[in-house]
Each structure stands twice: as structure tokens, then as C-alpha cells.
Amino acid sequence: MADKSDVTLPLSISAGIHIGVIIILALGIDFSHKPEPMQQVSAPAVKAVMVDQQKVANQVEKLKQEKRDAERREQERQAELERKAQEAKQAREREQAQIKQLEQERKQQEIETQKANEATKLAQVKQQQEKEKAVKAEADRKLKEQERKVAEDAAQKAAEKRKVEEAAAAKAESDRKLKEAEAKAKAEKAKADADAKAEAKAKADAEAKARAQQEQEMADALAAEQAALSQTMNKQMQSEVGKYQAMIKSTIQRNLVVDESMRGKTCTVSVRLANDGFVISSQTKGGDPNVCRAAKAAILKAGKLPVSPDPAVYNLMKEINLIVEPTF
């Protein structure tokens, strides 16, 4: 039994070391310090390690492909949002141009209506002047005729005078009715024009309001999608940070020299890392003195620790606090 345990334990340690090295190489991490000599293992142990290496490599490649697929889908979604925003902008510009054209047509219609009214008034004045001239000419003619007939009967003169007065009254009444009819027609036309303009303006205002509401809804939807994307990216980065923290703790554990006095004890260590994983500084924040000394020695021995190549993930873990607990 003792002989079998003595063989199994080194084989397990050797297999674990091989798997850890494969994961580090697959993630592109390079350590400057030279690896310690490895113990000789039997052929079955080497074969098991090679099988595990292939599984790890396949899993790493699968994760990389999923990340590339997610980035491609995100680029396509952003392009679609930009296309929709451009279409909304073009529709708004067409609407503004249409409103401007309607305003120009309204002003042109007002000018034409004013010109028509002025022409009508001028014609009426001219017509009135011609009528007045005709009346005056008729009156002059009759006056001369009366002067030639001074000797005629007074009754005849009175009858003719009455007829002239009746004709003038009838003409005045006819002129009054004509003017009233013209004034009424003008008022009705002006009211119809005002109603048509008000209706056109109300329609244009309603369309502009509907368009603005649609744009606001699209902007709200875009903001919601961007917030959801930001939340998803934060979760992904936290997951990456957790993964690399676990790798860092594993690296420290491999270089940690322990003794029985450290069992069940811990030490909190603060580590500052360069973007290539180089340990800039390490400080103990509290814990068992023996564990803390061993932890700092293990970090110094490692020289470099695993860090993510993603700048955003690196910024979250360039200064980290770790709890080191010896394992037996």
C-alpha cells in the first residue's frame, strides 16, 4: 500500500502541472522564469496528460470562436441601428422640406388673392365712374330738353321729373344690392381660404408631432439596448476577472512552500500587476505571519502572474487583493 501511494501522488502532481501549463499556453501567457525540473513519470501518466491537453485545447478554441461570433453579431446589430437612424433623419428632412414648400404656396396664394381683390375694386370704381358719367350725360340731355320746352305744361314736367327720380331710386337700390352681394361673396371666399389654410396647418402640425414621437421612441429603444449591452459586457468582464484571479491564486499555490504550522491559516495579499503580468509590487494586508512570508516568496518566485490581454479586464484586475490559504 505504501509503495502504490508513493507512485500515485507524484503522477497526480505531474498531471496537474501539465494541464496548468497547457491552459496558460492556450491563453497566450508567457512566464519569464524557468520552469523547475519535472519528475519522471511513467508512459501511462504521459498518455493521460496528452488526452487532457487535447480536451483543454478544444475547449479554449471553442471559447475563442464563441467570442468572435458574439463580436460579429454585435457589429451587425450596431450597423442596423445606424441604418435605421439614417432613414429617420432623411424622413425628417423630407418632412421639413414639405412644410417649407406648403408655407411658400400659402404665401403665394395670399399674394394672388390680394391682387385679385385689388383688381376687382379697381374695376368696380371704373364701372361706377362710367355709370356716373352716363347719369350726368343723361341729366344734361334732359335739362337741355326741358329748357327747350320751358313752355310745356307744368304737369308734363312734373311727370317726367317723377320718372327720373324713380329711375334714380331704382338704380340706387340696384347698386346697393349689387354691392351687398359682392361684399358677401368676398367674405365667404375669405372665410373658405382661412379654413383651408387652418386645415393644412393642423395636418402639417399633426404629422410633425407624430414623426417626433416616432423618433423619440426609436431613441428610447436604442438607449435601452445600449444599457442592456453594457450590463452584459460588465458581466462578461467580471467573469473574466474571476477566471484570471483563480489562475493567479493557482500560480501562487504552486510556488507556495508550506509546513504543518500553516494549516487552517490565511494571509491577505495586495498585488499590483503590469499589463504583461509582471508583478510590480506585493504587500501583505493581514493574516498569519508565516503564511504571509510564504505568500510573498511565492509571488516573487513566480515573477509574472496571469493577466487578460483585454485592456478593460486588465484595468479591473491590475490591483487585486487575494486571500492565500495553504492547501495540504
Side-chain angles (χ1 to χ4, degrees):
M1 290 297 291
D3 294 339
K4 183 176 182 181
S5 175
D6 292 340
V7 173
T8 304
L9 180 59
L11 288 178
S12 300
I13 294 174
S14 177
I17 293 174
H18 275 76
I19 293 172
V21 171
I22 292 170
I23 294 173
I24 293 171
L25 292 175
L27 295 176
I29 300 171
D30 181 22
F31 292 91
S32 62
H33 70 282
K34 296 181 178 179
E36 297 180 2
M38 310 222 10
Q39 297 180 2
Q40 288 291 333
V41 297
S42 63
V46 173
K47 182 177 181 181
V49 170
M50 292 178 63
V51 171
D52 290 339
Q53 288 176 353
Q54 183 61 40
K55 290 182 179 179
V56 171
N58 291 341
Q59 184 64 22
V60 169
E61 181 61 28
K62 180 180 179 182
L63 292 175
K64 289 182 178 180
Q65 183 61 39
E66 289 177 350
K67 182 177 180 181
R68 289 193 292 269
D69 292 344
E71 291 174 348
R72 177 181 56 76
R73 289 193 296 272
E74 174 60 17
Q75 291 174 355
E76 292 174 351
R77 190 185 67 80
Q78 290 291 343
E80 179 64 14
L81 291 176
E82 291 176 357
R83 184 186 65 78
K84 290 182 178 179
Q86 183 64 23
E87 290 177 354
K89 179 181 178 181
Q90 293 174 354
R92 184 171 64 254
E93 291 175 351
R94 289 195 298 270
E95 179 186 356
Q96 291 175 350
Q98 183 180 7
I99 292 174
K100 183 176 180 181
Q101 182 179 359
L102 289 173
E103 182 64 19
Q104 291 176 347
E105 291 176 355
R106 182 186 64 78
K107 290 182 179 180
Q108 183 63 31
Q109 186 176 5
E110 288 179 354
I111 293 172
E112 292 175 356
T113 301
Q114 184 178 1
K115 289 181 179 180
N117 292 338
E118 291 175 355
T120 301
K121 290 180 180 178
L122 183 61
Q124 291 174 353
V125 171
K126 186 176 181 181
Q127 184 180 8
Q128 183 64 26
Q129 290 175 348
E130 291 176 352
K131 289 180 179 179
E132 290 174 354
K133 288 181 180 179
V135 172
K136 185 175 183 299
E138 181 65 16
D140 292 342
R141 185 187 66 77
K142 290 181 179 180
L143 180 58
K144 290 178 181 180
E145 185 178 353
Q146 289 175 358
E147 289 175 350
R148 288 194 303 268
K149 298 179 180 178
V150 174
E152 292 181 359
D153 189 86
Q156 184 66 33
K157 289 180 181 180
E160 291 176 354
K161 184 179 180 182
R162 185 175 64 251
K163 289 179 181 181
V164 172
E165 290 173 352
E166 288 175 355
K171 183 179 181 303
E173 180 65 14
S174 177
D175 292 342
R176 182 185 66 78
K177 290 181 180 181
L178 179 61
K179 290 181 180 180
E180 288 179 354
E182 292 174 349
K184 184 178 180 181
K186 290 179 181 179
E188 290 177 350
K189 185 177 183 305
K191 184 177 182 303
D193 291 343
D195 292 343
K197 292 174 184 177
E199 182 179 358
K201 186 177 183 301
K203 183 178 179 181
D205 291 344
E207 292 176 351
K209 183 178 180 181
R211 182 66 63 183
Q213 183 178 0
Q214 183 182 7
E215 292 177 355
Q216 183 61 42
E217 290 174 354
M218 290 180 64
D220 293 342
L222 179 60
E225 289 184 3
Q226 289 177 345
L229 175 61
S230 177
Q231 185 177 6
T232 301
M233 292 181 64
N234 287 337
K235 289 182 179 179
Q236 291 176 349
M237 285 196 295
Q238 290 298 330
S239 176
E240 285 290 301
V241 170
K243 180 179 72 175
Y244 279 94
Q245 283 182 343
M247 294 169 61
I248 289 172
K249 292 180 71 173
S250 177
T251 301
I252 294 174
Q253 289 288 353
R254 286 199 306 271
N255 291 282
L256 191 66
V257 178
V258 301
D259 57 48
E260 192 62 31
S261 65
M262 301 179 186
R263 184 182 296 275
K265 299 177 181 179
T266 63
C267 177
T268 301
V269 182
S270 175
V271 182
R272 291 183 61 196
L273 300 173
N275 58 7
D276 63 349
F278 180 78
V279 178
I280 299 175
S281 65
S282 64
Q283 294 181 347
T284 57
K285 297 292 186 179
D288 181 74
N290 292 333
V291 177
C292 289
R293 282 194 294 271
K296 290 198 67 174
I299 294 171
L300 181 63
K301 183 178 179 181
K304 284 187 177 182
L305 296 175
V307 292
S308 173
D310 188 338
V313 178
Y314 165 73
N315 286 333
L316 293 177
M317 60 177 297
K318 62 183 179 182
E319 294 186 8
I320 58 173
N321 293 324
L322 301 172
I323 297 177
V324 179
E325 182 177 2
T327 56
F328 293 87

